[in-house]
Amino acid sequence: METMILTREDVESLIRMDEAMNAVEEAFKLYALGKAKMPPKVYLEFENGDLRAMPAHLMGYAGIKWVNSHPSNPERGLPTVMALMILNSPETGFPLAVMDATYMTSLRTGAAGGVAAKYLARKDSRVFGFVGCGIQAYFQLEALRRVFKIEEVKAYDIREEAASRFVKYCGEKDISASARSIEDVCRCDVLVTATPSREPVVKAEWIEKGTHINAIGADAAGKQELDFEILKKAKIVVDDLEQAKHGGEINVAISRGVIKVEDIHATLGEVVAGLKTGRESEEEITIFDSTGLAIQDVAVAKIVYENALKSNRGIKIEFFRI
Ligand SMILES: NC(=O)c1ccc[n+]([C@@H]2O[C@H](COP(=O)([O-])OP(=O)(O)OC[C@H]3O[C@@H](n4cnc5c(N)ncnc54)[C@H](O)[C@@H]3O)[C@@H](O)[C@H]2O)c1
């Protein structure tokens, strides 16, 4: 029996954002309904980074993503994050595929942002703000523009060239965009924060009533992008309570007693499955606290694998003779 090997180039050509969004939405729902398994992430820590094992079982597949985070890698000419996914048959455990999961991580994170905004942002949202214009900003934009009619993008990054590049990209997609001050960017209908910050970068007085925030950047202990005051007055929806408590946007506020676990409104899956409400008024401020879940990775890997089978893409290897 053969195992399929798929490179990043293969993965990129085998899945579209709309397919990823459907898969991720379904994964959140199944998880909330108890129809998906996801043991906690395992961290293997080093002096200069870490490796994380992220297993999950859903939609007829099992899989594990093995992903690093080494912030000083760019100095060595290597990316900060590199990931591989092993996709197995839950029935036999056979490794069906080994694939690049670096692109998949960006794609599924963008997809989750799009799904969250679909349930939590005002339907008439037109102005979109981006604080942090690195890789994730592009994937968030790609997902959001499949849900909303984006009329204007406002962009801020501490590196001006990152904001300019993002503005140019929006222009290429026929979206009117400009680089602005951070205060100005925060005055929008949907705000995406995607920085690696460990200090709040967004102040409460900049956030108007009715804003939805996709808080993407905080995905490890000690990371934080939003002022505590925003968390105190917003309706907070997390991807997973355990992960968010330890490493999401809420982690610092919870560890310092600024907010309590009971203040968290719901998981995104509970909202998607209709077990909890999403946005209830035009006025409320909503936050999606994203940490990134293994169920998202496996749901996306399933589509990649099935599309690869259909199009006969990828290399096939007999790892062991049976
Ligand atoms: N929630 C998830 O599932 C998930 C998934 C992927 C990445 N992330 C996190 O999202 C963050 C962004 O990831 P990325 O891949 O886009 O990284 P990136 O390095 O490509 O982009 C980050 C951008 O933020 C900018 N930035 C840094 N500090 C800033 C500040 N104080 N104000 C404004 N801009 C600032 C940088 O200049 C850079 O352009 C990281 O913290 C990453 O760990 C989360």
Side-chain angles (χ1 to χ4, degrees), residues 123-193:
K123 300 275 172 263
D124 62 353
S125 295
R126 296 283 179 265
V127 181
F128 290 68
F130 289 80
V131 171
C133 301
I135 295 170
Q136 200 34 233
Y138 293 80
F139 285 90
Q140 293 288 320
L141 176 79
E142 282 305 325
L144 290 167
R145 76 192 187 95
R146 282 164 175 79
V147 182
F148 300 94
K149 193 181 170 306
I150 300 182
E151 279 174 9
E152 188 187 358
V153 162
K154 302 198 269 186
Y156 170 79
D157 195 290
I158 39 167
R159 291 181 305 118
E160 266 175 42
E161 69 274 18
S164 313
R165 206 177 312 125
F166 186 59
V167 163
K168 187 163 171 272
Y169 178 84
C170 293
E172 287 161 9
K173 305 282 164 189
D174 286 330
I175 300 169
S176 155
S178 52
R180 305 280 188 92
S181 69
I182 185 164
E183 293 94 307
D184 199 351
V185 165
C186 292
R187 285 192 196 95
C188 60
D189 300 319
V190 175
L191 178 66
V192 175
T193 59

Side-chain angles (χ1 to χ4, degrees), residues 84-98:
L84 283 181
M85 160 73 69
I86 305 176
L87 196 68
N88 301 75
S89 151
E91 240 176 82
T92 63
F94 186 79
L96 302 166
V98 177

Side-chain angles (χ1 to χ4, degrees), residues 105 108-109 131-137 156-159 162 182 194-197 201 215-219 223 239 290-293:
T105 301
R108 59 78 150 148
T109 307
V131 171
C133 301
I135 295 170
Q136 200 34 233
Y156 170 79
D157 195 290
I158 39 167
R159 291 181 305 118
I182 185 164
T195 76
S197 186
V201 288
I216 305 298
D219 58 354
K223 283 172 129 183
D239 56 7
S290 162
T291 60
L293 307 186

Side-chain angles (χ1 to χ4, degrees), residues 209-225:
K209 282 184 185 163
T211 308
H212 170 68
I213 305 173
N214 272 349
I216 305 298
D219 58 354
K223 283 172 129 183
Q224 178 187 6
E225 299 182 289

Side-chain angles (χ1 to χ4, degrees), residues 199-213:
E199 306 279 317
V201 288
V202 175
K203 292 196 180 150
E205 60 263 34
W206 301 338
I207 301 298
E208 289 169 353
K209 282 184 185 163
T211 308
H212 170 68
I213 305 173

